[in-house]
Amino acid sequence: MSTTAHSGDIKDLVDDLYRREGRRIFATLVRLVGDFELAEEAMQEAFSAALESWQKDGVPKNPRAWLVSTGRFKAIDSIRRRIRFDKKVAVMAQELEASYESFEENIEGYDDETFNDDLLRLVFTCCHPALASDARVALTLREICGLTTEEIASAFLTSAGTIAQRIVSAKAKIRDTRIPYIVPSKDDLPERLDSVLAVIYLVFNEGYSASSGAEAVRVDLSSKAIHLGRMLNEILKDPEVSGLLALMLLHESRREARVDSAGDLILLEDQDRSLWKRELIEEGSALVEAVYAGGEIGVYSIQAAISAVHARAKTAADTEWGSIVALYDLLLRAQPSSVVALNRAVAISMRDGPESGLDLIEELLSSGELSEYHLSHAARADMLRRLGKREEAAAAYKEALTLARQEPERRFLERRLKEMSE
Amino acid sequence: MRFICLGYADTENFEKLSPEAVGAFMDKCFAYDKELFESGHFVGGQALMFAEHGVSLSVKGGEVSVTDGPFVETKEQLGGILILEARDLNHAITLMSKHPGVKMGRFEIRPANLEVGKLFKEKTGMEMPWS
């Protein structure tokens, strides 16, 4: 074998390990060295060292353990050098070195469970409720997904400086308030998991509702969120994790069908269903079924089930509205909110006709809670349109337009408004 | 990614120090610069003499005029630049936060505008140093 081919193989191997295992190794190093920045630097150095050393001495039996061990050594080395500038780190160095022998004995025993456990620590730390919501998102994307500050900034159409400050202050908060690097106990898990799932879903929706114009330059946040969902679903057995992953996959399956070439939104009922991605639907639906078979059903799973009912309808007219209404009933009980009630009203209008939907929506609007929400007026307008009350419908579309912010939504409402006067 | 770090020095901070203390401070800076260099982050850099040793060029009435200075109002002036290679802005912040120089004056970290370097190469066929 020629040397170049050999070194090329090693480079591919190291690149592949970096892609697949880099964040896990980082997560483990954060636990071992107790510091995000030190761990990041150590991880990068360990991978560079691997490239050099494995070409010379061959690939070690357990590459992951080698990388962690080398990373840890690099971190100790870096701390030693820093002692010259900063006396405070001397204690840190002593502690790390003191644990050296027991660590070296243990490292070969590190298995998938150890690494996954560390990754979970990282996930729960980045999504800790003590951090501001936008900080959780930025930290999750950078530390768990491995995006750069600049990529996150471009995804959220903001400056790298803004994102950088969020990340710096979030890390300072983790350090100063001593947020522990642990997987929460069974008692705390549901609440803490809620926060993690909310971050993932927020990232997904940010990518899903992005206007088409800037999409080319934006990092695909939805695929990052799905990747996170898959990863979490692999290492944490929880029905809501599966539910969220299913929900994202089912939404994602319709991505191409939901916007036309001009970037305008196409309603579910008008979408070309042949554009829906079958393999995503199948994966999502199978996850929903597995959750339902388990019997423990939460809000993400119910929403995924609703999406799955839509997905299995061959045409819009085939939609089983009865099942969808039943699922909304369930969702309204699990998560009483006026937005859910609005969606339920729309489903009822599809099952029983626009009259019954209109009554429910007007009842909701009169309670005042949804009067500032553009979709409630849009839904009311739609009922009126279906009932042939064109003037009243036009007034309601106008009301929705004064509240809608996103361009594609505004264009949709303007089109409908124009239809009412034709 | 490439970043340019502009190190501002507060001359008052320096005036307060004994020559030995200034020497010790410089040693610390050198040690950290060496570390940055060895880890591939230090791409280039240069310390500047105080502004009183420099001149300013400007055009007045079509003629280039030379004045002493620049005379800055504050005691803070540009003391040096460092060209840094980092993974992203947060990495650059991490690296520069550890630099002993930050104790003597603020650092401004600016992403390099590589587009200009690309344009230069396109127009001249030459590689701009550090880009």
Side-chain angles (χ1 to χ4, degrees), chain A residues 37 41 81 142 149-150 164, chain B residues 35 41 88-91 94:
Chain A
E37 266 93 28
E41 203 64 29
R81 273 179 274 134
R142 187 168 186 277
T149 314
E150 288 73 16
Chain B
E35 200 176 306
H41 297 305
D88 63 0
L89 183 54
N90 277 102
H91 187 205
T94 303

Side-chain angles (χ1 to χ4, degrees), chain A residues 298-320:
Chain A
V299 292
Y300 289 109
S301 308
I302 301 171
Q303 292 175 77
I306 292 169
S307 201
V309 173
H310 283 297
R312 70 172 177 243
K314 291 213 163 50
T315 66
D318 289 336
T319 310
E320 303 151 47

Side-chain angles (χ1 to χ4, degrees), chain A residues 398-415:
Chain A
K398 272 186 199 151
E399 184 78 43
L401 259 172
T402 61
L403 298 165
R405 290 281 165 272
Q406 283 206 331
E407 269 318 304
E409 283 184 332
R410 294 186 57 82
R411 285 199 298 272
F412 171 79
L413 291 168
E414 274 158 8
R415 269 203 319 274

Side-chain angles (χ1 to χ4, degrees), chain B residues 18-35:
Chain B
S18 66
E20 293 76 27
V22 171
F25 166 75
M26 295 304 283
D27 283 346
K28 281 185 181 177
C29 287
F30 293 158
Y32 190 65
D33 286 341
K34 179 169 174 275
E35 200 176 306

Side-chain angles (χ1 to χ4, degrees), chain A residues 18 37 40-41 44-45 78 81-82 84-85 142 146-150 160-161 163-164 167-168, chain B residues 1 3 27-29 31-32 35 38-39 41 87-91 93-95 98 100 103 111:
Chain A
Y18 185 85
E37 266 93 28
E40 177 72 39
E41 203 64 29
Q44 302 288 354
E45 283 184 35
S78 156
R81 273 179 274 134
R82 265 164 63 192
R84 280 177 300 198
F85 315 121
R142 187 168 186 277
L147 294 187
T148 63
T149 314
E150 288 73 16
I163 298 291
I167 290 170
V168 168
Chain B
M1 280 187 69
F3 294 91
D27 283 346
K28 281 185 181 177
C29 287
Y32 190 65
E35 200 176 306
E38 283 167 353
S39 53
H41 297 305
R87 195 168 78 83
D88 63 0
L89 183 54
N90 277 102
H91 187 205
I93 291 171
T94 303
L95 291 171
K98 285 189 271 177
K103 291 191 181 116

